[in-house]
Amino acid sequence: MSVMTFISPALRSETQDLTALSAPLSIAERQAALEIGRGLVKGARARANERPYLDAFLQEFGLSNQEGIALMCLAEALLRIPDDETADRLIAEKLASGNWDSHSGRSDSLFVNASTWGLMLTGRLVELPDELRGNANGWLRHLTQRASEPLVRQALRRAMKIIGSEFVVGRSIEEALQRSATDASLALCSFDMLGEGARTDEDARRYYDAYVAAIEQIGRSVDGSLHQRSSISIKLSALDPRYSAIHRERVHERLIPRALELARLAAARGIGLTVDAEEQDRLEISLEIFAAMAGDPTTRDWPGLGLAVQAYGRRAMAVIDHVTELSRSHGRALAVRLVKGAYWDSEIKRAQERGLAEYPLYTRKCSTDVSYLACARALFTASDRIYPQFATHNAHTIAAVLGLARTHRDTAGRAVDFEFQRLHGMGTLLYDEARRQLTDLPRVRVYAPVGPHADLLAYLVRRLLENGANTSFVNRFMDERVPVAQVVTDPISEIEALTTVEHDRIPLPSHLYGPSRLNSRGVDFGRRSSIEEIGQCLRSTLTLPSPESRYVTAGVVETAFRAASLAFPEWRGRPVDARAEILERAANLLDQSRDAFLALLAREAGKTAGDAIAEIRETIEFCRYYATSARELQGRVSVLDGVTGERNELSHVPRGVWCCISPWNFPLAIFTGQIVAALVTGNTVVAKPAETTPEVALAMTDLLYRAGVPRDALHVLPMVGKEFGEVALRQPALAGVVFTGSTRTAQWLNRALAARDGAILPLIAETGGINAMIVDSTALPEQVVDDVLSSAFGSAGQRCSALRLLCLQADNADRILEMLEGAMNTLAVGDPTDLTTDVGPVITASAAADLERHIAQMCQRGRLRKRVAISPNTGSVPRDRFVSPALIEIDSIGALEREAFGPVLHVLRYRTEELPRLLDDLRANGYGLTLGIQTRLDGTRRMLFEGTLAGNVYVNRNMIGAVVGVQPFGGTGLSGTGPKAGGPNYLHRFTTERVLTINTTATGGNTALLTLE
Ligand SMILES: Cc1cc2nc3c(=O)[nH]c(=O)nc-3n(C[C@H](O)[C@H](O)[C@H](O)COP(=O)(O)OP(=O)(O)OC[C@H]3O[C@@H](n4cnc5c(N)ncnc54)[C@H](O)[C@@H]3O)c2cc1C
């Protein structure tokens, strides 16, 4: 089926994007919106006693205080914890973390505290005794001390359910429809079957079935014309676990048919169906799906198909134009629900992580408000085709939209049919007040989530954030401490008063690290144009010579050391700034040559696109970070404090010729990181790249020469490691060794260095580890599964930081394993030049055979739970280089004796009381590289961090991909010597410290002291 595609507009600055929106309101409309909006707030405040209890409660415990955050943590985790012991610990910890008394001195906050807590704890509205009303801390301490008692646990679980149920209309669609039939405020709903972000095909099937059942039920139980009937909202991420722009083909094969079926069913039942808006990097692909739905001739006469559009997105106006065009070209009416957007904070973080050129959304709230109004205006203009639905809880937005509707009516000579929408549990009082004050308020539909508590959490957290954020209208709406004039403001005037539209405290991703260095450029995998560009690089035919044909003979090693030694005086004599500039030039050159390196990494090292891009970025960051660090270290002498009449200067000088030995798993980043660290501090280098990846190394060497590194200062010798080591470590000019690779080779190097006569030389070694992730029952299974997949199987498990041993608390192990196995089923293992591949080959056929032997051995000691099928398409890579990801359950750490460097994950269950022993066992293996922790318990996190040897500990996230200068990387014990690569102390080891002490009084007297004022 051919579908009309949405092409994202070219990237512009935020200022340009905002300026392109034509002035959404006239002066008169602005004035009226302010007056009406303020009137609504005043009216609502006068009826404060009618607001729901929890409304006041949520406002009091917002995100600006410890107690609100503690409550959010409880709400996010408590209900999913299966075991009482862990639930009790979470309760005790979170209640102890707040200063609950601080909420008791405020106006009616006593009511907020006492009665609402009472309501939540007992399920009934109770009058608490006076002594408790006045002493929230004492009361909660009392609770905390008794937190192991089932009563308190049950009470708090109920409390969290009450918070949750504020936002949910029913656990099932039947319950929700029943409520809607009897509660007038819920008569017109858009039901949302909770559940999003399917991780497995089974999840997706379950969510799809729930949508089907809900559409059937809604269709049967409500009457009226389409826009007067309750409708359904769907999330595309619930319908397929691989819903992303990269998986376009799969989206067309699996997701589009499901979306079409749902739309056809809704059309047949005569109810509306809106596609919710999710992350910005799914925008283009979501529009492709929507276009397919809009182009479906079988539903053409049904005007109920709708799309949510996020005004915070800088492409919002382009999306509205696109939907209008879809409507025109298919000759059908569509609906648009305009929202501001619910994922602002996570979008900003994601854009920073990905090093995007621009944020895909506005960075100031007032810009989003202006965008919303501009989009609203466009929707009215298109209202002959598009049915506008305005979702907001903001009094100013309501007033301004009504103003636009009136203007449109006056100019078009006819009234527009449109509606407002609010979320269940929010905006009740505001719309009630609007209904009283405004005669032309149209119908108001309630977005009504339906589902069990287990599926509520992601939604609930977004609602708590929205209620708690002080930029939110709802957070300040009823707060008497904030004057009405500050609650309802004119966003256009706010923009006009700004010096920059871009938020001054949210730097562009490229400027994340301040003025000293640029962040590396990433790829926007949400844009089809970027995906196509990367796909083309990967497909480029590249024939590489055999690695062996590049090898030099051992005789060259000695010559190289001699030449490097001769080059040392000149190179060290250059100002550090000149050397740093060469690194910066190299970084820029590599950025420009990204595509060539991408193809090379895929071809020679079997890297997938994501891994190759990450590696290129890391290399660029090493160059920039070490350039900055070197300027700091060597750009000036440090003058040390001491007695008067004396000057003490500390300086760091280079050591001489460094030997750099790098591995094949990061043939670009580690190879370059070692070399440029040595070079920038004034040393010269003889480097040996990995045997299997000489092409990448030679291409980078050439780039470094082009950037200005003198050929004599850097000698790169592809050859067999053992032959190189034996000659290199005997060279008199050798001043230090930096090595990344196996522990065994590091120990060999250490012994060889110790056997030398003469100066004792430094060795920086980074080796491997048996890295674990410890997951307790407070962790979110979806997040655990995402993080385990990327940590264990990303880069085909060939990272020294990769996860090898997953330790699951027995209470939720089955649930996580089931989800993990389901998610493993969706992994694509095959041709690394195919963008959809998740797991590429391992480095050689013999490495693959070795891994298979390990798997066979471990299966005898434990139980094989899962292996993933290898795709028939392995591209130009021989099939014997592929190892299908394996999951093996073992019952003791002892069963895992060595690091298996590939996509093999071992899993072990533990009981809570065994955690300290588990930690001891992990320490006993002597490795200390990375540790993952997934817990919401601060106490557990602290205990594990203090008890581990691991050099890098990651909490509630994946445990790979350390960022240069942000997460300095390196282990302890058998895992390495430090200092950490990409950290502030790394360059020190490449230098020697010298101190110059001058008696400044010797040449006369203490002039400095005598001339003191
Ligand atoms: C019926 C309904 C359906 C919804 N469906 C969706 C959906 O499909 N997808 C979705 O994402 N959301 C959806 N939402 C949630 C919606 O995005 C939020 O409720 C909405 O953003 C709150 O806006 P407001 O006008 O009520 O409040 P306001 O307080 O006026 O606006 C708050 C919003 O401003 C934006 N914002 C805050 N700070 C900044 C900043 N610094 N820079 C830029 N923007 C900022 C954010 O979008 C934030 O949510 C829906 C809401 C409703 C009522």
Side-chain angles (χ1 to χ4, degrees):
M1 181 194 314
S2 95
V3 290
M4 214 172 104
T5 45
F6 169 81
I7 298 170
S8 295
L11 279 186
R12 293 187 296 197
S13 73
E14 200 175 334
T15 309
Q16 286 169 321
D17 275 344
L18 198 69
T19 320
L21 302 174
S22 52
L25 301 181
S26 67
I27 302 279
E29 284 166 337
R30 284 163 67 180
Q31 199 50 42
L34 277 179
E35 274 164 31
I36 295 169
R38 286 174 183 166
L40 291 178
V41 176
K42 282 184 201 147
R45 285 188 177 183
R47 299 166 57 202
N49 58 350
E50 292 174 39
R51 73 194 291 213
Y53 299 119
L54 281 163
D55 217 25
F57 180 86
L58 290 173
Q59 182 194 309
E60 176 62 30
F61 294 101
L63 297 178
S64 53
N65 61 65
Q66 196 54 38
E67 300 74 49
I69 292 169
L71 280 180
M72 191 169 83
C73 280
L74 275 177
E76 191 265 341
L78 191 60
L79 296 181
R80 67 165 174 264
I81 301 177
D83 59 306
D84 295 341
E85 193 188 335
T86 310
D88 289 343
R89 286 183 58 210
L90 187 76
I91 292 168
E93 194 176 88
K94 295 304 163 204
L95 288 189
S97 72
N99 176 14
W100 304 92
D101 263 351
S102 63
H103 298 268
S104 42
R106 312 231 184 100
S107 53
D108 64 351
S109 64
L110 204 58
F111 172 78
V112 166
N113 281 329
S115 296
T116 314
W117 274 107
L119 167 75
M120 295 204 304
L121 293 177
T122 62
R124 282 172 290 124
L125 186 60
V126 287
E127 276 300 295
L128 292 177
D130 279 352
E131 68 272 20
L132 293 189
R133 283 165 152 252
N135 178 9
N137 256 353
W139 173 57
L140 282 159
R141 208 168 303 119
H142 182 61
L143 270 184
T144 313
Q145 281 154 6
R146 299 170 47 205
S148 60
E149 290 180 21
L151 190 71
V152 175
R153 185 190 322 124
Q154 273 169 19
L156 268 159
R157 280 210 172 117
R158 181 166 46 228
M160 294 309 133
K161 279 190 181 160
I162 292 177
I163 293 188
S165 57
E166 254 300 275
F167 299 110
V168 174
V169 282
R171 276 164 300 178
S172 63
I173 188 70
E174 292 81 6
E175 205 178 292
L177 283 166
Q178 233 165 32
R179 212 169 146 189
S180 159
T182 51
D183 180 344
S185 71
L186 291 172
L188 185 63
C189 288
S190 184
F191 293 103
D192 157 50
M193 304 309 292
L194 284 170
E196 56 191 89
R199 299 311 198 269
T200 67
D201 289 324
E202 293 72 32
D203 280 348
R205 184 81 230 172
R206 186 162 57 87
Y207 293 141
Y208 172 78
D209 289 345
Y211 284 138
V212 169
I215 295 172
E216 295 280 12
Q217 299 252 24
I218 302 165
R220 268 201 295 274
S221 58
V222 292
D223 307 316
S225 67
L226 189 107
H227 294 313
Q228 282 155 354
R229 302 183 75 188
S230 285
S231 55
I232 189 145
S233 294
I234 63 167
K235 284 200 169 49
L236 296 174
S237 69
L239 295 179
D240 191 80
R242 302 316 298 264
Y243 164 47
S244 70
I246 283 193
H247 293 278
R248 185 162 174 252
E249 228 169 273
R250 179 179 163 123
V251 164
H252 276 258
E253 269 167 28
R254 303 189 189 202
L255 210 165
I256 290 184
R258 282 188 175 169
L260 285 175
E261 277 312 307
L262 293 177
R264 285 174 190 157
L265 196 59
R269 300 290 171 265
I271 64 166
L273 177 148
T274 304
V275 176
D276 280 354
E278 300 182 73
E279 297 86 349
Q280 286 287 310
D281 63 5
R282 285 170 158 162
L283 177 68
E284 283 191 4
I285 189 76
S286 71
L287 288 171
E288 207 161 320
I289 299 165
F290 186 76
M293 295 163 89
D296 180 8
T298 49
T299 62
R300 207 174 116 178
D301 298 329
W302 163 66
L305 179 63
L307 179 76
V309 177
Q310 295 159 324
Y312 66 21
R314 284 165 52 185
R315 291 170 285 181
M317 189 58 90
V319 175
I320 287 181
D321 291 344
H322 175 74
V323 176
T324 312
E325 184 51 29
L326 276 178
S327 155
R328 199 195 50 73
S329 63
H330 295 299
R332 68 183 294 165
L334 294 169
V336 166
R337 171 201 296 152
L338 188 61
V339 303
K340 286 180 191 163
Y343 309 85
W344 184 80
D345 53 327
S346 47
E347 293 279 9
I348 294 284
K349 181 175 181 193
R350 189 175 308 124
Q352 292 185 348
E353 282 169 348
R354 295 190 183 168
L356 299 189
E358 281 286 338
Y359 289 108
L361 17 80
Y362 292 104
T363 55
R364 294 201 198 250
K365 163 84 167 65
C366 50
S367 306
T368 294
D369 289 334
V370 169
S371 161
Y372 191 97
L373 296 178
C375 291
R377 194 186 181 101
L379 285 178
F380 282 121
T381 308
S383 57
D384 54 333
R385 310 194 154 278
I386 307 281
Y387 173 64
Q389 303 169 313
F390 298 101
T392 178
H393 310 114
N394 181 323
H396 180 272
T397 312
I398 295 174
V401 166
L402 282 172
L404 286 170
R406 285 181 211 125
T407 308
H408 185 78
R409 180 198 57 207
D410 295 345
T411 37
R414 57 172 183 86
V416 182
D417 189 22
F418 71 103
E419 68 183 40
F420 280 105
Q421 297 190 348
R422 67 174 180 87
L423 296 173
H424 172 58
M426 293 176 66
T428 324
L429 189 57
L430 175 65
Y431 276 104
D432 209 40
E433 186 58 27
R435 178 76 61 215
R436 283 184 182 206
Q437 291 190 22
L438 308 168
T439 49
D440 55 353
L441 185 78
R443 67 182 77 91
V444 179
R445 187 182 301 265
V446 180
Y447 185 92
V450 180
H453 286 291
D455 287 336
L456 166 71
L457 299 178
Y459 178 84
L460 177 61
V461 168
R462 283 202 298 277
R463 295 294 76 82
L464 293 178
L465 282 172
E466 191 170 334
N467 277 280
N470 62 7
T471 45
S472 277
F473 175 84
V474 284
N475 181 261
R476 292 144 42 105
F477 168 43
M478 295 297 285
D479 187 346
E480 291 287 352
R481 290 166 298 184
V482 189
V484 174
Q486 279 176 32
V487 178
V488 177
T489 50
D490 174 26
I492 302 173
S493 310
E494 284 178 61
I495 301 262
E496 283 165 358
L498 291 172
T499 37
T500 56
V501 167
E502 288 79 6
H503 201 297
D504 46 0
R505 285 169 56 200
I506 307 176
L508 276 181
S510 53
H511 288 80
L512 207 55
Y513 305 125
S516 61
R517 71 182 164 110
L518 273 180
N519 188 10
S520 58
R521 175 173 66 110
V523 174
D524 186 347
F525 278 113
R527 282 182 181 246
R528 200 156 144 202
S529 52
S530 318
I531 295 176
E532 276 167 5
E533 204 181 298
I534 299 292
Q536 221 158 15
C537 303
L538 290 175
R539 281 190 297 276
S540 68
T541 46
L542 197 66
T543 328
L544 301 180
S546 77
E548 294 77 15
S549 67
R550 293 297 204 168
Y551 289 1
V552 296
T553 55
V556 180
V557 180
E558 204 170 319
T559 326
F561 268 90
R562 263 204 307 274
S565 177
L566 285 174
F568 179 53
E570 191 278 327
W571 179 244
R572 73 174 286 180
R574 294 198 195 184
V576 62
D577 215 32
R579 296 193 301 259
E581 272 171 21
I582 292 176
L583 263 61
E584 283 161 349
R585 254 198 310 278
N588 295 343
L589 276 175
L590 181 56
D591 184 44
Q592 288 155 22
S593 322
R594 184 188 70 185
D595 294 355
F597 276 88
L598 191 61
L600 199 50
L601 281 164
R603 188 68 56 180
E604 187 176 45
K607 296 248 166 186
T608 58
D611 289 338
I613 289 164
E615 180 160 2
I616 294 169
R617 292 189 63 194
E618 188 181 0
T619 312
I620 292 173
E621 281 164 23
F622 272 135
C623 293
R624 290 184 179 148
Y625 180 74
Y626 290 148
T628 308
S629 304
R631 286 191 180 104
E632 275 165 22
L633 186 69
Q634 296 177 315
R636 56 177 171 80
V637 287
S638 311
V639 178
L640 307 173
D641 288 339
V643 296
T644 179
E646 193 173 272
R647 184 177 164 87
N648 293 287
E649 293 176 355
L650 173 69
S651 56
H652 294 84
V653 299
R655 288 175 175 269
V657 184
W658 273 75
C659 168
C660 301
I661 307 172
S662 52
W664 49 262
N665 63 335
F666 283 92
L668 184 65
I670 298 182
F671 169 78
T672 311
Q674 292 178 346
I675 290 175
V676 296
L679 285 174
V680 77
T681 38
N683 303 283
T684 53
V685 169
V686 177
K688 188 207 76 70
E691 278 99 326
T692 39
T693 51
E695 268 343 289
V696 173
L698 292 173
M700 186 63 202
T701 308
D702 183 52
L703 187 146
L704 287 168
Y705 292 149
R706 277 189 284 134
V709 173
R711 283 175 184 268
D712 276 349
L714 170 64
H715 303 262
V716 174
L717 311 179
M719 60 189 293
V720 174
K722 202 163 161 12
E723 289 174 17
F724 172 81
E726 273 163 8
V727 186
L729 266 80
R730 286 202 315 265
Q731 296 307 307
L734 183 68
V737 177
V738 52
F739 167 77
T740 302
S742 72
T743 308
R744 219 179 48 201
T745 309
Q747 275 160 344
W748 182 88
L749 290 167
N750 195 25
R751 283 190 204 104
L753 283 174
R756 283 168 63 103
D757 289 330
I760 296 170
L761 301 185
L763 166 67
I764 305 173
E766 267 186 64
T767 59
I770 299 183
N771 308 310
M773 180 187 281
I774 298 177
V775 178
D776 75 11
S777 66
T778 63
L780 180 67
E782 286 80 1
Q783 184 179 12
V784 173
V785 167
D786 290 349
D787 295 342
V788 167
L789 285 185
S790 58
S791 304
F793 305 128
S795 308
Q798 301 173 109
R799 289 171 179 257
C800 45
S801 55
L803 169 62
R804 312 288 176 205
L805 177 64
L806 174 63
C807 307
L808 297 175
Q809 185 179 324
D811 304 272
N812 65 344
D814 285 333
R815 167 127 200 264
I816 291 179
L817 286 171
E818 189 190 332
M819 197 185 289
L820 178 60
E821 286 169 19
M824 283 174 74
N825 276 334
T826 71
L827 287 177
V829 186
D831 181 5
T833 65
D834 178 342
L835 263 173
T836 61
T837 294
D838 300 294
V839 182
V842 298
I843 189 69
T844 56
S846 78
D850 191 39
L851 284 162
E852 289 298 348
R853 274 193 294 278
H854 171 86
I855 292 170
Q857 195 182 43
M858 291 309 294
C859 287
Q860 282 171 3
R861 295 181 190 172
R863 179 163 77 89
L864 180 69
R865 292 195 64 115
K866 177 101 212 145
R867 290 215 67 181
V868 178
I870 297 170
S871 147
N873 171 22
T874 60
S876 61
V877 186
R879 218 183 145 71
D880 62 1
R881 271 184 60 195
F882 286 86
V883 175
S884 78
L887 179 68
I888 303 166
E889 183 158 357
I890 53 175
D891 52 21
S892 83
I893 290 189
L896 183 59
E897 287 162 358
R898 68 181 181 99
E899 178 191 24
F901 211 68
V904 187
L905 176 64
H906 310 86
V907 58
L908 175 77
R909 293 169 200 246
Y910 70 90
R911 289 194 304 274
T912 310
E913 65 275 15
E914 293 169 339
L915 196 54
R917 214 190 68 212
L918 176 72
L919 196 56
D920 286 345
D921 288 349
L922 285 173
R923 252 197 325 258
N925 71 29
Y927 289 101
L929 194 52
T930 58
L931 174 73
I933 302 172
Q934 299 261 354
T935 181
R936 301 296 189 262
L937 286 167
D938 295 342
T940 301
R941 184 210 353 111
R942 268 196 303 274
M943 189 265 279
L944 292 173
F945 181 67
E946 278 158 20
T948 181
L949 285 178
N952 287 68
V953 177
Y954 298 92
V955 182
N956 295 333
R957 50 155 285 172
N958 69 20
M959 45 195 276
I960 51 168
V963 176
V964 174
V966 179
Q967 291 125 7
F969 185 75
T972 67
L974 290 176
S975 297
T977 58
K980 285 174 178 291
N985 303 316
Y986 193 60
L987 294 190
H988 288 244
R989 189 63 65 87
F990 289 85
T991 64
T992 14
E993 291 172 315
R994 302 191 66 201
V995 173
L996 177 66
T997 299
I998 304 167
N999 175 6
T1000 52
T1001 62
T1003 50
N1006 193 340
T1007 50
L1009 193 61
L1010 292 170
T1011 53
L1012 270 185
E1013 294 266 316

